[in-house]
PDB file of all heavy atoms in Angstrom:
ATOM      1  N   THR A   1      -6.240 -24.810  10.372  1.00 98.00           N
ATOM      2  CA  THR A   1      -5.505 -23.591  10.878  1.00 98.00           C
ATOM      3  C   THR A   1      -6.273 -22.267  10.438  1.00 98.00           C
ATOM      4  O   THR A   1      -7.213 -22.245   9.713  1.00 98.00           O
ATOM      5  CB  THR A   1      -4.113 -23.509  10.290  1.00 98.00           C
ATOM      6  OG1 THR A   1      -4.112 -23.049   8.953  1.00 98.00           O
ATOM      7  CG2 THR A   1      -3.413 -24.977  10.379  1.00 98.00           C
ATOM      8  N   HIS A   2      -5.718 -21.187  10.917  1.00 98.00           N
ATOM      9  CA  HIS A   2      -6.143 -19.897  10.459  1.00 98.00           C
ATOM     10  C   HIS A   2      -5.031 -19.208   9.664  1.00 98.00           C
ATOM     11  O   HIS A   2      -4.851 -17.900   9.627  1.00 98.00           O
ATOM     12  CB  HIS A   2      -6.526 -18.901  11.706  1.00 98.00           C
ATOM     13  CG  HIS A   2      -7.893 -19.329  12.178  1.00 98.00           C
ATOM     14  ND1 HIS A   2      -9.108 -18.919  11.671  1.00 98.00           N
ATOM     15  CD2 HIS A   2      -8.363 -20.255  13.105  1.00 98.00           C
ATOM     16  CE1 HIS A   2     -10.178 -19.466  12.192  1.00 98.00           C
ATOM     17  NE2 HIS A   2      -9.652 -20.329  13.179  1.00 98.00           N
ATOM     18  N   ARG A   3      -4.116 -20.022   9.127  1.00 98.00           N
ATOM     19  CA  ARG A   3      -2.994 -19.462   8.356  1.00 98.00           C
ATOM     20  C   ARG A   3      -3.487 -19.270   6.889  1.00 98.00           C
ATOM     21  O   ARG A   3      -4.033 -20.372   6.341  1.00 98.00           O
ATOM     22  CB  ARG A   3      -1.809 -20.334   8.443  1.00 98.00           C
ATOM     23  CG  ARG A   3      -0.554 -19.896   7.765  1.00 98.00           C
ATOM     24  CD  ARG A   3       0.721 -20.462   8.269  1.00 98.00           C
ATOM     25  NE  ARG A   3       0.790 -21.801   8.160  1.00 98.00           N
ATOM     26  CZ  ARG A   3       1.335 -22.503   7.151  1.00 98.00           C
ATOM     27  NH1 ARG A   3       1.922 -21.756   6.089  1.00 98.00           N
ATOM     28  NH2 ARG A   3       1.405 -23.757   6.897  1.00 98.00           N
ATOM     29  N   ILE A   4      -3.338 -18.242   6.207  1.00 98.00           N
ATOM     30  CA  ILE A   4      -3.854 -17.958   4.888  1.00 98.00           C
ATOM     31  C   ILE A   4      -3.096 -18.718   4.001  1.00 98.00           C
ATOM     32  O   ILE A   4      -1.836 -18.782   3.967  1.00 98.00           O
ATOM     33  CB  ILE A   4      -3.972 -16.646   4.595  1.00 98.00           C
ATOM     34  CG1 ILE A   4      -4.793 -15.790   5.556  1.00 98.00           C
ATOM     35  CG2 ILE A   4      -4.319 -16.301   3.131  1.00 98.00           C
ATOM     36  CD1 ILE A   4      -4.637 -14.207   5.282  1.00 98.00           C
ATOM     37  N   ASN A   5      -3.759 -19.465   3.085  1.00 98.00           N
ATOM     38  CA  ASN A   5      -3.072 -20.282   1.928  1.00 98.00           C
ATOM     39  C   ASN A   5      -3.236 -19.372   0.683  1.00 98.00           C
ATOM     40  O   ASN A   5      -4.235 -19.271   0.040  1.00 98.00           O
ATOM     41  CB  ASN A   5      -3.847 -21.566   1.677  1.00 98.00           C
ATOM     42  CG  ASN A   5      -3.212 -22.280   0.486  1.00 98.00           C
ATOM     43  OD1 ASN A   5      -2.247 -21.938  -0.128  1.00 98.00           O
ATOM     44  ND2 ASN A   5      -3.940 -23.359   0.118  1.00 98.00           N
ATOM     45  N   TYR A   6      -2.149 -18.688   0.409  1.00 98.00           N
ATOM     46  CA  TYR A   6      -2.040 -17.637  -0.607  1.00 98.00           C
ATOM     47  C   TYR A   6      -2.155 -18.340  -2.032  1.00 98.00           C
ATOM     48  O   TYR A   6      -2.302 -17.712  -3.052  1.00 98.00           O
ATOM     49  CB  TYR A   6      -0.874 -16.800  -0.638  1.00 98.00           C
ATOM     50  CG  TYR A   6      -1.014 -15.966   0.644  1.00 98.00           C
ATOM     51  CD1 TYR A   6      -0.018 -15.969   1.639  1.00 98.00           C
ATOM     52  CD2 TYR A   6      -1.945 -14.896   0.882  1.00 98.00           C
ATOM     53  CE1 TYR A   6      -0.152 -15.108   2.809  1.00 98.00           C
ATOM     54  CE2 TYR A   6      -2.006 -14.035   1.862  1.00 98.00           C
ATOM     55  CZ  TYR A   6      -1.117 -14.281   2.888  1.00 98.00           C
ATOM     56  OH  TYR A   6      -1.160 -13.364   3.955  1.00 98.00           O
ATOM     57  N   ALA A   7      -1.815 -19.724  -2.032  1.00 97.00           N
ATOM     58  CA  ALA A   7      -1.895 -20.333  -3.382  1.00 97.00           C
ATOM     59  C   ALA A   7      -3.345 -20.803  -3.718  1.00 97.00           C
ATOM     60  O   ALA A   7      -3.560 -21.401  -4.835  1.00 97.00           O
ATOM     61  CB  ALA A   7      -0.960 -21.541  -3.324  1.00 97.00           C
ATOM     62  N   ASP A   8      -4.282 -20.662  -2.735  1.00 96.00           N
ATOM     63  CA  ASP A   8      -5.617 -21.225  -2.845  1.00 96.00           C
ATOM     64  C   ASP A   8      -6.341 -20.445  -3.868  1.00 96.00           C
ATOM     65  O   ASP A   8      -6.632 -19.279  -3.704  1.00 96.00           O
ATOM     66  CB  ASP A   8      -6.276 -21.215  -1.568  1.00 96.00           C
ATOM     67  CG  ASP A   8      -7.730 -21.812  -1.563  1.00 96.00           C
ATOM     68  OD1 ASP A   8      -8.160 -22.282  -2.710  1.00 96.00           O
ATOM     69  OD2 ASP A   8      -8.344 -21.910  -0.592  1.00 96.00           O
ATOM     70  N   LYS A   9      -6.728 -21.039  -5.113  1.00 94.00           N
ATOM     71  CA  LYS A   9      -7.467 -20.395  -6.117  1.00 94.00           C
ATOM     72  C   LYS A   9      -8.833 -20.912  -6.280  1.00 94.00           C
ATOM     73  O   LYS A   9      -9.537 -20.767  -7.134  1.00 94.00           O
ATOM     74  CB  LYS A   9      -6.858 -20.506  -7.480  1.00 94.00           C
ATOM     75  CG  LYS A   9      -5.161 -20.107  -7.509  1.00 94.00           C
ATOM     76  CD  LYS A   9      -4.653 -20.390  -8.761  1.00 94.00           C
ATOM     77  CE  LYS A   9      -3.186 -20.090  -8.796  1.00 94.00           C
ATOM     78  NZ  LYS A   9      -2.507 -20.286 -10.081  1.00 94.00           N
ATOM     79  N   SER A  10      -9.364 -21.620  -5.290  1.00 96.00           N
ATOM     80  CA  SER A  10     -10.690 -22.330  -5.172  1.00 96.00           C
ATOM     81  C   SER A  10     -11.764 -21.407  -5.448  1.00 96.00           C
ATOM     82  O   SER A  10     -12.800 -21.610  -6.134  1.00 96.00           O
ATOM     83  CB  SER A  10     -10.856 -23.152  -4.058  1.00 96.00           C
ATOM     84  OG  SER A  10     -10.787 -22.376  -2.796  1.00 96.00           O
ATOM     85  N   ILE A  11     -11.681 -20.031  -4.814  1.00 96.00           N
ATOM     86  CA  ILE A  11     -12.785 -19.105  -4.937  1.00 96.00           C
ATOM     87  C   ILE A  11     -12.492 -18.277  -6.217  1.00 96.00           C
ATOM     88  O   ILE A  11     -13.420 -18.042  -7.136  1.00 96.00           O
ATOM     89  CB  ILE A  11     -12.815 -18.191  -3.665  1.00 96.00           C
ATOM     90  CG1 ILE A  11     -13.164 -18.949  -2.488  1.00 96.00           C
ATOM     91  CG2 ILE A  11     -13.968 -17.177  -3.916  1.00 96.00           C
ATOM     92  CD1 ILE A  11     -13.149 -18.314  -1.326  1.00 96.00           C
ATOM     93  N   THR A  12     -11.260 -17.736  -6.418  1.00 94.00           N
ATOM     94  CA  THR A  12     -10.932 -16.920  -7.518  1.00 94.00           C
ATOM     95  C   THR A  12      -9.378 -16.751  -7.558  1.00 94.00           C
ATOM     96  O   THR A  12      -8.741 -16.978  -6.578  1.00 94.00           O
ATOM     97  CB  THR A  12     -11.510 -15.496  -7.350  1.00 94.00           C
ATOM     98  OG1 THR A  12     -11.098 -14.699  -8.434  1.00 94.00           O
ATOM     99  CG2 THR A  12     -11.138 -14.809  -6.093  1.00 94.00           C
ATOM    100  N   GLU A  13      -8.833 -16.299  -8.685  1.00 91.00           N
ATOM    101  CA  GLU A  13      -7.490 -15.970  -8.774  1.00 91.00           C
ATOM    102  C   GLU A  13      -7.241 -14.566  -8.389  1.00 91.00           C
ATOM    103  O   GLU A  13      -6.083 -14.110  -8.075  1.00 91.00           O
ATOM    104  CB  GLU A  13      -6.919 -16.255 -10.208  1.00 91.00           C
ATOM    105  CG  GLU A  13      -6.694 -17.567 -10.678  1.00 91.00           C
ATOM    106  CD  GLU A  13      -5.722 -17.778 -11.800  1.00 91.00           C
ATOM    107  OE1 GLU A  13      -4.884 -16.831 -12.057  1.00 91.00           O
ATOM    108  OE2 GLU A  13      -5.556 -18.852 -12.259  1.00 91.00           O
ATOM    109  N   ASN A  14      -8.299 -13.787  -8.290  1.00 93.00           N
ATOM    110  CA  ASN A  14      -8.295 -12.339  -7.916  1.00 93.00           C
ATOM    111  C   ASN A  14      -8.439 -12.187  -6.543  1.00 93.00           C
ATOM    112  O   ASN A  14      -9.337 -11.345  -5.957  1.00 93.00           O
ATOM    113  CB  ASN A  14      -9.294 -11.644  -8.748  1.00 93.00           C
ATOM    114  CG  ASN A  14      -9.294 -10.136  -8.503  1.00 93.00           C
ATOM    115  OD1 ASN A  14      -8.162  -9.448  -8.580  1.00 93.00           O
ATOM    116  ND2 ASN A  14     -10.461  -9.497  -8.389  1.00 93.00           N
ATOM    117  N   THR A  15      -7.666 -12.860  -5.664  1.00 96.00           N
ATOM    118  CA  THR A  15      -7.599 -12.630  -4.317  1.00 96.00           C
ATOM    119  C   THR A  15      -6.907 -11.412  -3.906  1.00 96.00           C
ATOM    120  O   THR A  15      -5.956 -11.004  -4.596  1.00 96.00           O
ATOM    121  CB  THR A  15      -6.892 -13.765  -3.525  1.00 96.00           C
ATOM    122  OG1 THR A  15      -5.601 -13.984  -4.144  1.00 96.00           O
ATOM    123  CG2 THR A  15      -7.686 -15.145  -3.708  1.00 96.00           C
ATOM    124  N   ARG A  16      -7.470 -10.605  -2.959  1.00 96.00           N
ATOM    125  CA  ARG A  16      -7.024  -9.263  -2.560  1.00 96.00           C
ATOM    126  C   ARG A  16      -6.813  -9.034  -1.198  1.00 96.00           C
ATOM    127  O   ARG A  16      -7.551  -9.647  -0.403  1.00 96.00           O
ATOM    128  CB  ARG A  16      -8.104  -8.343  -3.199  1.00 96.00           C
ATOM    129  CG  ARG A  16      -8.209  -8.357  -4.693  1.00 96.00           C
ATOM    130  CD  ARG A  16      -7.250  -7.347  -5.467  1.00 96.00           C
ATOM    131  NE  ARG A  16      -7.319  -7.410  -6.897  1.00 96.00           N
ATOM    132  CZ  ARG A  16      -6.729  -6.553  -7.653  1.00 96.00           C
ATOM    133  NH1 ARG A  16      -5.918  -5.596  -7.115  1.00 96.00           N
ATOM    134  NH2 ARG A  16      -6.873  -6.582  -8.976  1.00 96.00           N
ATOM    135  N   VAL A  17      -6.107  -7.957  -0.897  1.00 97.00           N
ATOM    136  CA  VAL A  17      -5.938  -7.383   0.527  1.00 97.00           C
ATOM    137  C   VAL A  17      -5.948  -5.922   0.447  1.00 97.00           C
ATOM    138  O   VAL A  17      -5.381  -5.303  -0.436  1.00 97.00           O
ATOM    139  CB  VAL A  17      -4.729  -7.904   1.178  1.00 97.00           C
ATOM    140  CG1 VAL A  17      -3.527  -7.508   0.529  1.00 97.00           C
ATOM    141  CG2 VAL A  17      -4.812  -7.438   2.692  1.00 97.00           C
ATOM    142  N   SER A  18      -6.687  -5.311   1.272  1.00 98.00           N
ATOM    143  CA  SER A  18      -6.728  -3.847   1.421  1.00 98.00           C
ATOM    144  C   SER A  18      -6.035  -3.538   2.773  1.00 98.00           C
ATOM    145  O   SER A  18      -6.372  -4.287   3.857  1.00 98.00           O
ATOM    146  CB  SER A  18      -8.085  -3.206   1.431  1.00 98.00           C
ATOM    147  OG  SER A  18      -9.008  -3.583   2.407  1.00 98.00           O
ATOM    148  N   TYR A  19      -5.314  -2.468   2.944  1.00 98.00           N
ATOM    149  CA  TYR A  19      -4.735  -2.009   4.264  1.00 98.00           C
ATOM    150  C   TYR A  19      -4.307  -0.624   3.927  1.00 98.00           C
ATOM    151  O   TYR A  19      -4.101  -0.052   2.924  1.00 98.00           O
ATOM    152  CB  TYR A  19      -3.448  -2.931   4.427  1.00 98.00           C
ATOM    153  CG  TYR A  19      -2.455  -3.107   3.452  1.00 98.00           C
ATOM    154  CD1 TYR A  19      -1.444  -2.080   3.152  1.00 98.00           C
ATOM    155  CD2 TYR A  19      -2.482  -4.283   2.488  1.00 98.00           C
ATOM    156  CE1 TYR A  19      -0.560  -2.244   2.137  1.00 98.00           C
ATOM    157  CE2 TYR A  19      -1.646  -4.456   1.561  1.00 98.00           C
ATOM    158  CZ  TYR A  19      -0.678  -3.434   1.294  1.00 98.00           C
ATOM    159  OH  TYR A  19       0.256  -3.545   0.146  1.00 98.00           O
ATOM    160  N   PRO A  20      -4.119   0.038   5.074  1.00 97.00           N
ATOM    161  CA  PRO A  20      -3.815   1.577   4.994  1.00 97.00           C
ATOM    162  C   PRO A  20      -2.367   1.715   4.548  1.00 97.00           C
ATOM    163  O   PRO A  20      -1.598   0.781   4.706  1.00 97.00           O
ATOM    164  CB  PRO A  20      -3.964   2.021   6.539  1.00 97.00           C
ATOM    165  CG  PRO A  20      -4.816   1.108   7.140  1.00 97.00           C
ATOM    166  CD  PRO A  20      -4.462  -0.192   6.452  1.00 97.00           C
ATOM    167  N   LEU A  21      -2.077   2.742   3.819  1.00 95.00           N
ATOM    168  CA  LEU A  21      -0.864   2.942   3.211  1.00 95.00           C
ATOM    169  C   LEU A  21       0.381   2.944   4.354  1.00 95.00           C
ATOM    170  O   LEU A  21       1.378   2.547   3.972  1.00 95.00           O
ATOM    171  CB  LEU A  21      -0.768   4.414   2.545  1.00 95.00           C
ATOM    172  CG  LEU A  21       0.401   4.662   1.620  1.00 95.00           C
ATOM    173  CD1 LEU A  21       0.490   3.604   0.467  1.00 95.00           C
ATOM    174  CD2 LEU A  21       0.346   6.079   1.076  1.00 95.00           C
ATOM    175  N   HIS A  22       0.049   3.350   5.515  1.00 95.00           N
ATOM    176  CA  HIS A  22       1.070   3.475   6.587  1.00 95.00           C
ATOM    177  C   HIS A  22       1.439   2.000   7.026  1.00 95.00           C
ATOM    178  O   HIS A  22       2.384   1.908   7.779  1.00 95.00           O
ATOM    179  CB  HIS A  22       0.707   4.367   7.807  1.00 95.00           C
ATOM    180  CG  HIS A  22      -0.497   3.781   8.520  1.00 95.00           C
ATOM    181  ND1 HIS A  22      -1.759   4.438   8.347  1.00 95.00           N
ATOM    182  CD2 HIS A  22      -0.851   2.749   9.330  1.00 95.00           C
ATOM    183  CE1 HIS A  22      -2.733   3.847   9.238  1.00 95.00           C
ATOM    184  NE2 HIS A  22      -2.037   2.791   9.668  1.00 95.00           N
ATOM    185  N   TYR A  23       0.798   0.968   6.565  1.00 96.00           N
ATOM    186  CA  TYR A  23       1.219  -0.396   6.945  1.00 96.00           C
ATOM    187  C   TYR A  23       2.542  -0.628   6.100  1.00 96.00           C
ATOM    188  O   TYR A  23       3.258  -1.606   6.376  1.00 96.00           O
ATOM    189  CB  TYR A  23       0.190  -1.344   6.467  1.00 96.00           C
ATOM    190  CG  TYR A  23      -0.966  -1.619   7.512  1.00 96.00           C
ATOM    191  CD1 TYR A  23      -1.121  -0.707   8.456  1.00 96.00           C
ATOM    192  CD2 TYR A  23      -1.601  -2.854   7.658  1.00 96.00           C
ATOM    193  CE1 TYR A  23      -2.099  -0.837   9.506  1.00 96.00           C
ATOM    194  CE2 TYR A  23      -2.572  -2.998   8.621  1.00 96.00           C
ATOM    195  CZ  TYR A  23      -2.826  -2.033   9.513  1.00 96.00           C
ATOM    196  OH  TYR A  23      -3.697  -2.271  10.489  1.00 96.00           O
ATOM    197  N   ILE A  24       2.829   0.084   4.963  1.00 93.00           N
ATOM    198  CA  ILE A  24       4.173   0.038   4.419  1.00 93.00           C
ATOM    199  C   ILE A  24       5.072   0.902   5.014  1.00 93.00           C
ATOM    200  O   ILE A  24       4.885   2.007   5.123  1.00 93.00           O
ATOM    201  CB  ILE A  24       3.866   0.370   2.840  1.00 93.00           C
ATOM    202  CG1 ILE A  24       2.928  -0.525   2.128  1.00 93.00           C
ATOM    203  CG2 ILE A  24       5.244   0.349   2.131  1.00 93.00           C
ATOM    204  CD1 ILE A  24       3.276  -1.950   1.997  1.00 93.00           C
ATOM    205  N   ASP A  25       6.205   0.270   5.505  1.00 90.00           N
ATOM    206  CA  ASP A  25       7.005   0.960   6.389  1.00 90.00           C
ATOM    207  C   ASP A  25       7.794   2.176   5.752  1.00 90.00           C
ATOM    208  O   ASP A  25       8.222   3.086   6.438  1.00 90.00           O
ATOM    209  CB  ASP A  25       8.106   0.100   7.063  1.00 90.00           C
ATOM    210  CG  ASP A  25       8.889  -0.709   6.126  1.00 90.00           C
ATOM    211  OD1 ASP A  25       8.936  -0.343   5.018  1.00 90.00           O
ATOM    212  OD2 ASP A  25       9.545  -1.741   6.613  1.00 90.00           O
ATOM    213  N   ASN A  26       7.903   2.103   4.354  1.00 92.00           N
ATOM    214  CA  ASN A  26       8.538   3.343   3.742  1.00 92.00           C
ATOM    215  C   ASN A  26       7.641   4.096   2.998  1.00 92.00           C
ATOM    216  O   ASN A  26       8.110   4.564   1.920  1.00 92.00           O
ATOM    217  CB  ASN A  26       9.840   2.788   2.852  1.00 92.00           C
ATOM    218  CG  ASN A  26       9.269   1.972   1.749  1.00 92.00           C
ATOM    219  OD1 ASN A  26       8.263   1.437   1.709  1.00 92.00           O
ATOM    220  ND2 ASN A  26      10.165   2.010   0.669  1.00 92.00           N
ATOM    221  N   ALA A  27       6.445   4.163   3.418  1.00 95.00           N
ATOM    222  CA  ALA A  27       5.452   5.036   2.595  1.00 95.00           C
ATOM    223  C   ALA A  27       5.747   6.518   2.892  1.00 95.00           C
ATOM    224  O   ALA A  27       6.073   6.879   3.961  1.00 95.00           O
ATOM    225  CB  ALA A  27       4.032   4.599   3.116  1.00 95.00           C
ATOM    226  N   LEU A  28       5.624   7.205   1.814  1.00 96.00           N
ATOM    227  CA  LEU A  28       5.737   8.639   1.970  1.00 96.00           C
ATOM    228  C   LEU A  28       4.473   9.319   2.448  1.00 96.00           C
ATOM    229  O   LEU A  28       3.395   9.131   1.860  1.00 96.00           O
ATOM    230  CB  LEU A  28       6.100   9.202   0.588  1.00 96.00           C
ATOM    231  CG  LEU A  28       6.521  10.786   0.572  1.00 96.00           C
ATOM    232  CD1 LEU A  28       7.813  10.998   1.233  1.00 96.00           C
ATOM    233  CD2 LEU A  28       6.615  11.204  -0.969  1.00 96.00           C
ATOM    234  N   GLU A  29       4.505  10.083   3.611  1.00 93.00           N
ATOM    235  CA  GLU A  29       3.395  10.746   4.037  1.00 93.00           C
ATOM    236  C   GLU A  29       3.727  12.233   4.386  1.00 93.00           C
ATOM    237  O   GLU A  29       4.582  12.559   5.022  1.00 93.00           O
ATOM    238  CB  GLU A  29       2.926  10.140   5.445  1.00 93.00           C
ATOM    239  CG  GLU A  29       2.426   8.719   5.094  1.00 93.00           C
ATOM    240  CD  GLU A  29       1.572   8.143   6.307  1.00 93.00           C
ATOM    241  OE1 GLU A  29       0.920   9.018   7.043  1.00 93.00           O
ATOM    242  OE2 GLU A  29       1.672   7.060   6.584  1.00 93.00           O
ATOM    243  N   PRO A  30       2.785  13.112   3.761  1.00 96.00           N
ATOM    244  CA  PRO A  30       1.782  12.865   2.965  1.00 96.00           C
ATOM    245  C   PRO A  30       2.276  12.442   1.669  1.00 96.00           C
ATOM    246  O   PRO A  30       3.319  12.632   1.209  1.00 96.00           O
ATOM    247  CB  PRO A  30       1.024  14.271   2.768  1.00 96.00           C
ATOM    248  CG  PRO A  30       2.033  15.222   3.017  1.00 96.00           C
ATOM    249  CD  PRO A  30       3.012  14.662   4.045  1.00 96.00           C
ATOM    250  N   SER A  31       1.305  11.664   0.850  1.00 97.00           N
ATOM    251  CA  SER A  31       1.797  10.929  -0.386  1.00 97.00           C
ATOM    252  C   SER A  31       1.700  11.864  -1.557  1.00 97.00           C
ATOM    253  O   SER A  31       0.897  11.748  -2.489  1.00 97.00           O
ATOM    254  CB  SER A  31       1.000   9.705  -0.563  1.00 97.00           C
ATOM    255  OG  SER A  31      -0.380   9.969  -0.324  1.00 97.00           O
ATOM    256  N   ILE A  32       2.623  12.852  -1.467  1.00 98.00           N
ATOM    257  CA  ILE A  32       2.749  13.790  -2.555  1.00 98.00           C
ATOM    258  C   ILE A  32       4.316  13.921  -2.952  1.00 98.00           C
ATOM    259  O   ILE A  32       5.106  14.027  -2.152  1.00 98.00           O
ATOM    260  CB  ILE A  32       2.373  15.219  -2.151  1.00 98.00           C
ATOM    261  CG1 ILE A  32       0.965  15.209  -1.635  1.00 98.00           C
ATOM    262  CG2 ILE A  32       2.527  16.175  -3.256  1.00 98.00           C
ATOM    263  CD1 ILE A  32       0.388  16.385  -0.993  1.00 98.00           C
ATOM    264  N   GLY A  33       4.578  13.630  -4.214  1.00 98.00           N
ATOM    265  CA  GLY A  33       5.955  13.641  -4.808  1.00 98.00           C
ATOM    266  C   GLY A  33       6.240  14.854  -5.670  1.00 98.00           C
ATOM    267  O   GLY A  33       5.319  15.452  -5.931  1.00 98.00           O
ATOM    268  N   SER A  34       7.374  14.936  -6.024  1.00 98.00           N
ATOM    269  CA  SER A  34       7.794  15.911  -7.016  1.00 98.00           C
ATOM    270  C   SER A  34       7.405  15.585  -8.348  1.00 98.00           C
ATOM    271  O   SER A  34       6.829  14.511  -8.623  1.00 98.00           O
ATOM    272  CB  SER A  34       9.460  16.049  -6.876  1.00 98.00           C
ATOM    273  OG  SER A  34       9.939  14.810  -7.197  1.00 98.00           O
ATOM    274  N   LEU A  35       7.711  16.490  -9.325  1.00 98.00           N
ATOM    275  CA  LEU A  35       7.562  16.066 -10.768  1.00 98.00           C
ATOM    276  C   LEU A  35       8.332  14.861 -11.164  1.00 98.00           C
ATOM    277  O   LEU A  35       9.472  14.666 -10.716  1.00 98.00           O
ATOM    278  CB  LEU A  35       7.897  17.304 -11.719  1.00 98.00           C
ATOM    279  CG  LEU A  35       7.065  18.534 -11.487  1.00 98.00           C
ATOM    280  CD1 LEU A  35       7.723  19.677 -12.107  1.00 98.00           C
ATOM    281  CD2 LEU A  35       5.674  18.264 -12.146  1.00 98.00           C
ATOM    282  N   PRO A  36       7.653  13.924 -11.961  1.00 98.00           N
ATOM    283  CA  PRO A  36       8.348  12.784 -12.402  1.00 98.00           C
ATOM    284  C   PRO A  36       9.744  12.961 -13.143  1.00 98.00           C
ATOM    285  O   PRO A  36       9.741  13.853 -14.047  1.00 98.00           O
ATOM    286  CB  PRO A  36       7.389  11.937 -13.258  1.00 98.00           C
ATOM    287  CG  PRO A  36       6.195  12.560 -12.822  1.00 98.00           C
ATOM    288  CD  PRO A  36       6.425  14.001 -12.531  1.00 98.00           C
TER     289      PRO A  36
END
């Protein structure tokens, strides 16, 4: 298949994904917040 096996550690445990911030539906844009 072409379905990702997220449990697969055969290459590394440090499996990663990069994606633009706007892929998160509740991302704040521009990504600037108030004082903590």
Side-chain angles (χ1 to χ4, degrees):
T1 76
H2 284 273
R3 184 160 64 93
I4 297 172
N5 178 7
Y6 294 113
D8 184 356
K9 304 175 184 177
S10 59
I11 299 174
T12 179
E13 286 203 15
N14 187 39
T15 54
R16 296 270 181 174
V17 60
S18 65
Y19 49 83
L21 194 61
H22 63 255
Y23 275 27
I24 300 294
D25 55 15
N26 67 334
L28 185 66
E29 292 194 36
S31 45
I32 304 173
S34 59
L35 291 165

